[in-house]
Amino acid sequence: MNEEIHSRGLVQQTLTPLGVMRAAVGVAVLFGAGHLQNYLFFGAQLNDTLWQMLSATLFGFTCAGLRYAIGSVWPLVVVHALDDFFQIRSPGAAPDWWQGGVYVFHVAYGLWLLHRYAYAAEDAPTLRASIRTDPGERPEGAEALD
């Protein structure tokens, strides 16, 4: 929950004025870089950490596209939790060809979502309204988090 609220909530909201694509790439890179802590503080092997950072960056790119398409971080909290659960419960590493396919999927799906969002936002003011640009503005339902 923390990673989604921070990355797709706070960071993506802050980067959105740069444009949809730049914000998605920025939040993805920062999300991936955040996984460096596993090497620095938790004793993970550097090679494993670098692969995790790549995977997290691409997953973060897809999640950024989903955040723009959906307009909320809450479904992404569930998606991220399920992804973490299945990785932890996995019997071992997936074959390289499978992981490569996952990487391609993340890039393609993220680009498709962002492309669709960028063009849909021109015609659908409700999508653009779901992304706040005024830092003082509170989203609907924010009082539930207070």
Side-chain angles (χ1 to χ4, degrees):
M1 188 163 79
N2 179 50
E3 286 182 316
E4 289 306 318
I5 291 172
H6 177 260
S7 294
R8 258 61 68 190
L10 177 66
V11 174
Q12 190 165 334
Q13 186 67 40
T14 302
L15 295 179
T16 293
L18 298 175
V20 171
M21 186 62 73
R22 286 188 182 120
V25 169
V27 75
V29 168
L30 291 172
F31 181 68
H35 288 77
L36 183 59
Q37 69 181 337
N38 294 330
Y39 171 74
L40 296 175
F41 304 117
F42 301 110
Q45 296 292 320
L46 179 60
N47 188 42
D48 292 341
T49 301
L50 293 174
W51 282 109
Q52 183 186 26
M53 290 171 63
L54 174 64
S55 180
T57 298
L58 298 175
F59 179 75
F61 182 70
T62 298
C63 287
L66 284 168
R67 165 67 169 90
Y68 283 123
I70 296 169
S72 173
V73 299
W74 298 114
L76 299 175
V77 169
V78 174
V79 167
H80 193 150
L82 287 171
D83 181 64
D84 287 350
F85 173 78
F86 287 118
Q87 286 188 37
I88 290 168
R89 301 297 298 165
S90 171
D96 291 343
W97 64 267
W98 180 265
Q99 194 60 42
V102 170
Y103 292 165
V104 169
F105 168 78
H106 282 309
V107 172
Y109 188 53
L111 287 171
W112 180 79
L113 285 166
L114 293 169
H115 178 75
R116 181 176 173 153
Y117 167 78
Y119 287 109
E122 293 174 5
D123 298 329
T126 57
L127 284 177
R128 191 168 288 156
S130 70
I131 307 296
R132 296 178 297 120
T133 54
D134 178 11
E137 181 184 355
R138 290 179 48 115
E140 293 178 28
E143 62 278 350
L145 297 174
D146 292 339

